[in-house]
Amino acid sequence: ETDIIWNNTNVRVSLPAVCFVWQIAMIILFGVFIRYDEESDAHWVEFKREHNITSDIENDFYFRYPSFQDVHVMIFVGFGFLMTFLKRYSFGGVGFNFLIAAFGLQWALLMQGWFHSLDPATGKIYIGVESLINADFCCAGSLIAYGALLGKVSPVQLMVVTLFGVTLFAVEEYIILTLLHCRDAGGSMVIHAFGGYYGLAISWVLYRPNLHQSKRLNGSVYHSDVFAMIGTLFLWMFWPSFNSAITDHGDGQHRAAINTYLALASSVLTTVAISSMSQKTGKLDMVHIQNATLAGGVAMGTAAEFMITPYGSLIVGFCTGIISTFGYLYITPFLEKYLKLQDTCGVHNLHALPGMLGGFIGAIVAAAATESVYSAEGLINVFDFEGSFANRGVGTQGGFQAAGTCVAIAFGLVGGAIVGLILRIPIWGDPADDNCYDDEVYWEVRVFREDELTAIFTGLEKHYCRRQSE
Amino acid sequence: ETDIIWNNTNVRVSLPAVCFVWQIAMIILFGVFIRYDEESDAHWVEFKREHNITSDIENDFYFRYPSFQDVHVMIFVGFGFLMTFLKRYSFGGVGFNFLIAAFGLQWALLMQGWFHSLDPATGKIYIGVESLINADFCCAGSLIAYGALLGKVSPVQLMVVTLFGVTLFAVEEYIILTLLHCRDAGGSMVIHAFGGYYGLAISWVLYRPNLHQSKRLNGSVYHSDVFAMIGTLFLWMFWPSFNSAITDHGDGQHRAAINTYLALASSVLTTVAISSMSQKTGKLDMVHIQNATLAGGVAMGTAAEFMITPYGSLIVGFCTGIISTFGYLYITPFLEKYLKLQDTCGVHNLHALPGMLGGFIGAIVAAAATESVYSAEGLINVFDFEGSFANRGVGTQGGFQAAGTCVAIAFGLVGGAIVGLILRIPIWGDPADDNCYDDEVYWEVRVFREDELTAIFTGLEKHYCRRQSE
Amino acid sequence: ETDIIWNNTNVRVSLPAVCFVWQIAMIILFGVFIRYDEESDAHWVEFKREHNITSDIENDFYFRYPSFQDVHVMIFVGFGFLMTFLKRYSFGGVGFNFLIAAFGLQWALLMQGWFHSLDPATGKIYIGVESLINADFCCAGSLIAYGALLGKVSPVQLMVVTLFGVTLFAVEEYIILTLLHCRDAGGSMVIHAFGGYYGLAISWVLYRPNLHQSKRLNGSVYHSDVFAMIGTLFLWMFWPSFNSAITDHGDGQHRAAINTYLALASSVLTTVAISSMSQKTGKLDMVHIQNATLAGGVAMGTAAEFMITPYGSLIVGFCTGIISTFGYLYITPFLEKYLKLQDTCGVHNLHALPGMLGGFIGAIVAAAATESVYSAEGLINVFDFEGSFANRGVGTQGGFQAAGTCVAIAFGLVGGAIVGLILRIPIWGDPADDNCYDDEVYWEVRVFREDELTAIFTGLEKHYCRRQSE
């Protein structure tokens, strides 16, 4: 029947083909373009002498490697385990997250390299630890998009989402950070707003009117919710590292970590409050605790390195925790019902909306910056008012920050719509409406074998007989 | 009936109210008091020049941030997952731990700030990465107390436990570290002895004679024990960071990490030995492995930064592993039977007792310190014999360390008893005796839906019929 | 019957005895031999002055502690959770891993100390953070061996495996690194090839012809596979730290991290490709995803610190991901059928084979090194061409690297065969052929109690009756 033709989930040719072709392309492009930078090259000993660097500890590795590893954990365990909450899609949640991040970071090193660090003299991209952090960040955009699509797409489609997602990311990042000269260290705009709207637009184009046929699997069981808490907590704990990983050495990293730490703490309390208020008996909903508690980190992605003040950070977390939880309660059902938008993980409430808010918060905090608060030199350092931007004022900077947020959203929406159309071509092996959210489609799942079932049943039967005779 | 009136577990008003009121109070108090310190302020560039600091790597962020993140993981994943071991209280274990730590760290920044770093000239508290570590430490006291109460209290009660726990912590810490001038980098006294006895005293006041009515839920299932091992291992692995996080730069952090690493390794072997000896066939008990293996880290909390020697560390771990396992085997049942003390996680054996021992071990090691072992300067650095304490001898120091341990225990017992009485007021929404240890009281728990049960049952039925006809 | 005599799994005497005797031996030997090194001793303040060290940040602690903690997580959570994949051996997987690593690291500090850092003047071994990393590395060899034996041996046997494993490791490491002057920072040779072949040789000697009697338990269930992914991901994420933990300060650590990061990413894609190709409908197999994705990290253990180039790293990951997945598909069944080799976790495919390949890759990359690529000084630094090795050429170095790989394999095979024979003495309490892979043999396992089963059954029965009457 048509159904079977259109929903052939056999990816035995397409998935290996995509993996092989793209990985071989990576090898060739890396061979042509990618080299070690001066801090990771064996010539470092000469470089050090030439630049009067007295100690190896001045190597950027020691400034950023601990933050890099925290970010790395967020990408693979944080995002991965957060998506294990469905009762029968934990393999797909953590496994496909693993696949697309591993591909995405390679493509990101190239794309970001071409835009940001291609040496015109040699035609090479020189990479170091900061490149690795940026590559992980770039993947985050596509992983966020995956959250909206969880359970409804094939791994081949996810590879396509990631290829375009990373490409679009590099372009919007170039426009926002380089051309508009915005600051966005933790990526409220370039990562969360972009990634969130990118995923939502794809999901909107891929709308499935009969998705209710898989309703039985669109929910959690007890232990899948506990697995998801692993993801939540590693994201929550390491978010200060995420927002401070590529900020300025010294006070920049220090302040970004403090601000994010405080905003996240504040989000937890307001999430709990709203979640409890929303139930007749004040019970908490795991979906809220798993997600909305993180909204403060998302919303501090731009402003974390600014002098937003500690209580300012608490206020940001306070508001976004409330907004995000309300999103899960009211906006997601609204979007599904009236906008035909199916958002499995609610990335609208955790990434798109708080990311957009974070962009505007950053704009306001930037516009409000003063020399007395930052010091003259501090102001220049924080906003990088150097070179052709030496004369930009903080008000102008605020305007550009707001514009940057709009650019990120536009890229997400338009890019996502186009990618969604590509994914509607019936060649990608996506699941039918009645077997979404099901690991058995793309994974060998061990089920209880006959003899095990017999053992269980025999046990119950004995018990039954005993009770009957009593 | 009375029962229903007294055990109304509806927290729909009280929990949101407490969260909102306290979070708003935090924002106001942070606005009045909390500012960035000179290393996280944008003026750092000027500060560096004024103080002839040549490199950003001298910022305290780079000395302590990796340790901070390890401590952060211990607080949220370590303590949180350790408390997921109950079969139907995993949400409450990891979720309420999350809530109270997120609140506690904010209140801790204020309380510790007022006592330790309030600048009299400006009336402000200046915070940096070391403040964040101390705030996490301060929460640990209340999280330990939660271990004794797990499954028997409402989230509102836990917020009260944390409010008072953090307050008491800051006071006893001020008395012990500042007035008595004790050293306690990893908090054997101020964190573990205090937190343990605080929780035990509360639990004693809240004694439930009919708790056996919830006996069916007071135990683990297979996978909840595996979840708890996540908590155990992250605590165990990062304990060297816990004990070294706020010790002196250089040899102080280095030595504290080594000593803790060794003590913990030793604890594992003696825990396994005693656990195996306690069963007829030598089987191991997960409760012991999950908890007593950590006793070496607790007991090294004071002495880790001293020159206790590597073999001294092994001896500490050896003895406390044995004592802690014996505690689970004999002391906990004894306390429950004869002292009417219900200690869900056995915090007496993991925190209270090893913490107290750690305090006295610290006293002995301090009293035995000599100039030949420490060097003259080293002795001054390690024990901070400066200012008004310049003439204190090591013997005197040992005496004060012992006195400090007693202060911590006294604060825990008296403070806990008072807080326990407050928690007996019947307004907090705590569970009835027959629905303790049950997530369904405070959480939306997804259970198998009708159609899923039908599917399972139909499968079994078919199987049964087939077997009948064979 | 004989069976009962030969397979008495009561370890109530032997396990505590081994733990106590070995731990007491450790305390005595540490007392005689182990002291703090100058960077962790309280005399550091004097040492700093004497050596004109201007800042505490120059203490090796700050260069290596973050990497140490990542390695520590790999050893305890990485290896431990990777071995929780069996449906009823998760306690044994993570718990025995914990036990033998905690013992092994102590014995490793002594063995490696005697061979590498015994001060002839004082007769003492001086330890610091690098010693802790090396001790963790040394344990890894025995933990790898455990992977081949998982579910088939007693904890007492594992202690024996570790005692000899660590001893053999220290000797082969001394031969390879010191006598042959090989470079092997991430241990392709000394850790993975040795550990893999050591475990395989033991397993070969312990061959159980009737192991099929435990076949029902030799597999995973849904959630045990998710637990194993925790292990996989923490190994995968922190492998860059593993391979860079003890390389040269500065560019050495920086480059090793980059190379490993890239090789691992590449492995993921080829593993997914081959896994999908191997199933009729392109479904992925969790066994492959959990293991073969790590092969790139193993194979980069030697070459990571060399100038292998970023695309070279991708190629290494590409090939080893394929080879390792093929190993799971074809070599493991072949070894079991024709060589009588039962390898529970497939350590042949993840450690032995990629480790051996990594050794030879290292040899080739070393032999191909040139002054133009490394710089003159860089070449000396990377290959440590100093002292009596000042005149060694890169070609010779390559030859020695290859020889080192052979030494590691030989030590694994011969040592493993001997240890296997020791383990065949019928005194160690190993399980019978029909109760392998079963936690109930060595652990108190909580099962559903009578009343719980009744509750479940009553629910089903009601349901059944309702259906009957419809």
Side-chain angles (χ1 to χ4, degrees), chain A residues 25-99:
Chain A
M26 291 301 108
I27 291 173
I28 294 167
L29 291 169
F30 269 60
V32 176
F33 289 104
I34 306 270
R35 297 292 179 271
Y36 305 117
D37 71 6
E38 63 274 350
E39 297 187 295
S40 56
D41 191 287
H43 287 79
W44 159 254
V45 58
E46 295 179 349
F47 181 88
K48 255 196 321 180
R49 197 169 38 237
E50 285 160 21
H51 292 73
N52 287 318
I53 295 166
T54 53
S55 167
D56 280 324
I57 199 90
E58 297 286 333
N59 194 303
D60 198 37
F61 183 80
Y62 302 103
F63 287 91
R64 306 213 185 270
Y65 191 72
S67 307
F68 159 66
Q69 274 296 3
D70 293 350
V71 171
H72 214 41
V73 172
M74 292 174 73
I75 297 296
F76 289 89
V77 162
F79 283 107
F81 271 85
L82 189 61
M83 292 196 276
T84 59
F85 74 102
L86 290 172
K87 68 184 74 158
R88 291 305 276 186
Y89 208 72
S90 301
F91 290 5
V94 69
F96 294 151
N97 182 84
F98 191 19
L99 170 64

Side-chain angles (χ1 to χ4, degrees), chain A residues 57-58 62-64 66-67 70 87 215-217 219-223 225-227 229-230 232-234 236-242 244 248-255 257-259 261-262 264-270 272-274 276-287 289 293 304 306-311 313-315 318 322 371-379 381-382 450 453-454 456-458 460-461 464, chain B residues 9-12 15-16 18-20 22-24 26-27 30-32 34-46 49 55-57 59-62 65-66 68-69 72-74 76-77 81 84 86-92 94-96 98-99 102-103 105-106 109 127-133 135-136 155 159 221 223-224 227 230 234 439-446 448-449 451-452 460-461 463-464 466-468:
Chain A
I57 199 90
E58 297 286 333
Y62 302 103
F63 287 91
R64 306 213 185 270
S67 307
D70 293 350
K87 68 184 74 158
K215 209 182 114 195
R216 73 193 180 287
L217 293 173
S220 63
V221 288
Y222 194 68
H223 278 171
D225 268 329
V226 183
F227 277 119
M229 280 303 290
I230 297 173
T232 298
L233 288 175
F234 275 102
W236 195 91
M237 296 180 303
F238 288 161
W239 218 294
S241 301
F242 194 91
S244 70
D248 291 338
H249 288 175
D251 66 295
Q253 289 194 275
H254 204 148
R255 186 167 58 251
I258 293 172
N259 288 332
Y261 172 90
L262 293 173
L264 286 161
S266 185
S267 279
V268 176
L269 272 87
T270 52
V272 167
I274 302 295
S276 176
M277 282 171 68
S278 70
Q279 281 286 336
K280 247 192 312 193
T281 55
K283 290 187 185 188
L284 299 171
D285 190 325
M286 260 288 167
V287 171
I289 307 301
T293 52
F306 302 161
M307 293 287 286
I308 189 172
T309 73
Y311 70 90
S313 304
L314 290 183
I315 293 171
F318 187 94
I322 295 172
E371 268 197 21
S372 70
V373 170
Y374 287 75
S375 83
E377 275 177 277
L379 203 61
N381 286 348
V382 169
E450 196 68 1
L453 263 182
T454 310
I456 291 168
F457 190 75
T458 311
L460 286 171
E461 199 180 5
Y464 179 77
Chain B
T9 60
N10 188 333
V11 291
R12 195 182 181 185
L15 183 57
V18 167
C19 287
F20 273 125
W22 294 7
Q23 188 58 54
I24 291 167
M26 290 301 108
I27 291 173
F30 270 60
V32 177
I34 305 269
R35 298 292 178 272
Y36 305 117
D37 71 6
E38 63 275 349
E39 297 187 295
S40 56
D41 191 287
H43 287 80
W44 160 254
V45 58
E46 296 179 347
R49 197 169 39 236
S55 166
D56 280 325
I57 199 90
N59 193 303
D60 199 36
F61 183 80
Y62 302 103
Y65 190 72
F68 159 66
Q69 274 296 1
H72 215 41
V73 172
M74 292 174 73
F76 289 89
V77 162
F81 271 83
T84 59
L86 290 171
K87 68 183 74 159
R88 294 303 277 187
Y89 209 73
S90 301
F91 290 5
V94 69
F96 294 150
F98 191 19
L99 170 63
F103 163 66
L105 61 86
Q106 298 177 58
L109 283 170
I127 61 168
V129 64
E130 195 170 340
S131 319
L132 307 191
I133 299 170
D136 274 19
M159 294 291 277
V221 288
H223 278 171
S224 71
F227 278 119
I230 297 173
F234 275 102
D439 271 334
E440 295 199 32
V441 178
Y442 302 112
W443 297 85
E444 285 291 301
V445 177
R446 275 89 184 166
F448 283 105
R449 287 196 320 275
D451 56 338
E452 293 175 312
L460 286 171
E461 199 180 4
H463 199 80
Y464 178 78
R466 199 168 54 77
R467 280 174 51 88
Q468 294 290 81

Side-chain angles (χ1 to χ4, degrees), chain A residues 463 466-467, chain B residues 87 212-218, chain C residues 447-459:
Chain A
H463 198 79
R466 198 167 55 76
R467 280 173 51 92
Chain B
K87 68 183 74 159
H212 58 83
Q213 291 173 6
S214 291
K215 208 183 116 195
R216 73 193 181 286
L217 292 174
N218 188 3
Chain C
V447 289
F448 283 106
R449 286 196 320 276
E450 196 67 2
D451 56 337
E452 291 175 314
L453 264 182
T454 309
I456 291 168
F457 189 74
T458 311

Side-chain angles (χ1 to χ4, degrees), chain C residues 177-390:
Chain C
L177 301 191
T178 306
L179 300 188
L180 302 182
H181 197 71
C182 297
R183 303 293 291 177
D184 193 21
S188 287
M189 303 185 267
V190 299
I191 299 171
H192 299 287
F194 165 73
Y197 286 107
Y198 179 59
L200 292 170
I202 296 172
S203 188
W204 182 72
V205 175
L206 297 182
Y207 179 68
R208 289 168 177 267
N210 297 316
L211 189 57
H212 58 83
Q213 292 174 5
S214 292
K215 208 182 116 196
R216 74 194 179 286
L217 293 174
N218 188 5
S220 63
V221 288
Y222 194 67
H223 278 171
S224 71
D225 267 328
V226 183
F227 277 118
M229 280 304 290
I230 297 173
T232 298
L233 287 176
F234 275 101
L235 287 171
W236 194 91
M237 296 180 303
F238 288 161
W239 217 294
S241 301
F242 193 92
N243 286 350
S244 70
I246 57 164
T247 52
D248 290 338
H249 289 174
D251 66 294
Q253 290 194 275
H254 204 148
R255 188 168 54 251
I258 294 172
N259 288 332
T260 310
Y261 172 89
L262 293 173
L264 286 161
S266 185
S267 279
V268 176
L269 272 87
T270 52
T271 297
V272 167
I274 302 295
S275 183
S276 176
M277 282 170 68
S278 71
Q279 282 284 336
K280 247 193 310 194
T281 57
K283 291 185 186 188
L284 298 171
D285 189 326
M286 261 289 169
V287 170
H288 306 155
I289 307 302
Q290 283 161 8
N291 292 281
T293 52
L294 301 166
V298 174
M300 288 299 286
T302 302
E305 62 178 325
F306 302 160
M307 293 286 287
I308 190 171
T309 74
Y311 70 91
S313 303
L314 289 183
I315 293 171
V316 169
F318 187 93
C319 299
T320 47
I322 294 172
I323 292 167
S324 183
T325 315
F326 269 115
Y328 282 94
L329 287 166
Y330 303 110
I331 304 177
T332 299
F334 176 89
L335 292 179
E336 177 148 5
K337 195 161 175 193
Y338 297 102
L339 286 192
K340 310 287 182 204
L341 186 46
Q342 291 150 336
D343 176 7
T344 315
C345 294
V347 302
H348 176 268
N349 315 306
L350 175 50
H351 297 283
L353 187 56
M356 184 181 70
L357 291 172
F360 292 123
I361 290 163
I364 293 164
V365 178
T370 64
E371 270 198 18
S372 70
V373 170
Y374 286 76
S375 83
E377 275 177 277
L379 202 61
I380 292 167
N381 285 348
V382 170
F383 295 100
D384 212 6
F385 288 150
E386 287 170 334
S388 58
F389 300 98

Side-chain angles (χ1 to χ4, degrees), chain B residues 185-186 239-248 250-263 300-306 308 313, chain C residues 36 40 61 65 132:
Chain B
W239 217 294
S241 301
F242 194 91
N243 285 350
S244 69
I246 57 163
T247 53
D248 291 337
D251 65 295
Q253 290 194 274
H254 204 148
R255 186 168 57 251
I258 294 172
N259 288 332
T260 310
Y261 172 90
L262 293 173
M300 288 299 286
T302 303
E305 61 179 325
F306 301 161
I308 190 173
S313 304
Chain C
Y36 304 118
S40 56
F61 183 79
Y65 191 72
L132 307 191

